[in-house]
Amino acid sequence: MTYQNTPGAPVNSGVPEHGRVPKYYAVKAKLALMVDELGEDGLLPTERDLAVRYEVSRETVRQALRELLLEGRLRRRGRGTVVAGPKLEQPLSLASYTEGVRRQGRRPGRSLISLDRFPCPEALAPEVGAERGEPVWHMERVLLADDERVGLESTYVSEARAPRLDTEFDPDSSFYAYLHDRLGISFGDADERIETVLATPREALLIGTPPALPMLLLHRVSRDTSGRPLERVRTLYRGDRFSFTAHLGEQG
């Protein structure tokens, strides 16, 4: 068995051993080569032109394009299709979204959707260090990278930990920086879980994606340096624009 030269690429370009390749996949492989040649923001030919070039139906071309769009290799621009830039790499660490995006030379931002206060339900209480019925903040923000909508973040924190969140905090800035610099609270550790989901119609509308686009859903429960529960975060990341990285070491 031979392997491709590109590290991380599918073995034998994903071709099954029996050699029978679906027609759309053969077109997708050719389009992938075109994507590499065109480079970021390169404009692809129309579906009709591609169908003529590869001697297939337009539906076959659409299926190949759909997969490349879902993988984040392409993106729509007006009525055309262009080559997408590299995915944003978000580290699995206590670093904030803001820090992760800045490290890649992009401009982070957030757009506030809502900031509400409500009585803490029993299920949430141990995760934010509050008693049932005590006031808890819920802040929902769209995540931006160079003004492109790339995710949706929901943060829950007790009012006791951030009593003036509605008046002191700039919702376009890092919540972690606010806690540290303004309130003197530092993050100690966190538990995270990642899964793949489809966005709800509301979430897809806020992020600006089709509901069928796979999302990476990250759940995080954080504690401060003394071990006290601090916040609960639910973040949706666009599957076509994000990948996650982690540094692994030997466990003692």
Side-chain angles (χ1 to χ4, degrees):
M1 179 177 292
T2 58
Y3 292 81
Q4 283 202 341
N5 293 327
T6 304
V11 176
N12 286 339
S13 299
V15 176
E17 275 67 21
H18 55 58
R20 294 190 294 274
V21 181
K23 191 174 292 186
Y24 86 89
Y25 193 87
V27 173
K28 178 185 173 184
K30 294 174 182 176
L31 287 174
L33 292 175
M34 182 185 296
V35 165
D36 292 338
E37 293 172 357
L38 288 173
E40 186 174 350
D41 288 332
L43 180 65
L44 267 69
T46 65
E47 289 182 1
R48 177 180 298 177
D49 291 341
L50 291 171
V52 171
R53 177 183 300 195
Y54 299 130
E55 299 180 338
V56 296
S57 69
R58 291 183 66 175
E59 181 53 39
T60 297
V61 170
R62 286 193 193 102
Q63 187 174 357
L65 290 172
R66 274 197 297 268
E67 290 207 357
L68 291 169
L69 284 162
L70 289 174
E71 292 173 6
R73 301 288 305 279
L74 302 173
R75 61 188 176 89
R76 300 294 189 189
R77 177 185 290 170
R79 293 187 176 182
T81 303
V82 299
V83 178
K87 288 188 177 184
L88 290 160
E89 294 184 0
Q90 186 70 1
L92 291 174
S93 68
L94 284 175
S96 71
Y97 167 80
T98 299
E99 296 170 26
V101 172
R102 279 179 178 159
R103 277 201 294 265
Q104 296 168 79
R106 304 286 295 275
R107 187 178 72 259
R110 292 177 174 88
S111 176
L112 182 67
I113 302 300
S114 63
L115 176 59
D116 304 309
R117 185 168 39 198
F118 63 97
C120 185
E122 186 172 353
L124 182 62
E127 296 181 335
V128 297
E131 297 293 330
R132 179 181 176 182
E134 290 182 348
V136 168
W137 293 111
H138 171 231
M139 179 169 55
E140 187 177 38
R141 298 181 291 175
V142 172
L143 302 177
L144 306 171
D146 291 340
D147 296 325
E148 177 188 11
R149 290 178 285 176
V150 294
L152 184 66
E153 179 184 75
S154 288
T155 302
Y156 300 87
V157 63
S158 72
E159 184 188 49
R161 301 303 295 269
R164 293 175 293 279
L165 187 66
D166 57 337
T167 57
E168 285 186 349
F169 177 61
D170 175 6
D172 185 42
S173 64
S174 167
F175 181 56
Y176 287 18
Y178 168 73
L179 289 175
H180 182 271
D181 300 341
R182 192 68 181 257
L183 303 181
I185 299 173
S186 297
F187 284 78
D189 68 312
D191 295 318
E192 286 189 333
R193 186 178 84 252
I194 301 175
E195 57 185 308
T196 56
V197 297
L198 296 178
T200 66
R202 175 181 178 272
E203 290 167 339
L205 183 64
L206 289 172
I207 302 172
T209 60
L213 180 71
M215 295 282 177
L216 297 167
L217 174 59
L218 186 146
H219 303 270
R220 173 183 283 192
V221 177
S222 305
R223 291 167 288 273
D224 62 19
T225 51
S226 66
R228 292 178 58 197
L230 181 53
E231 63 158 6
R232 189 194 194 288
V233 180
R234 179 186 186 276
T235 311
L236 274 176
Y237 293 96
R238 286 177 52 167
D240 64 333
R241 299 302 297 129
F242 270 93
S243 64
F244 288 95
T245 61
H247 174 73
L248 306 179
E250 184 178 0
Q251 186 172 0

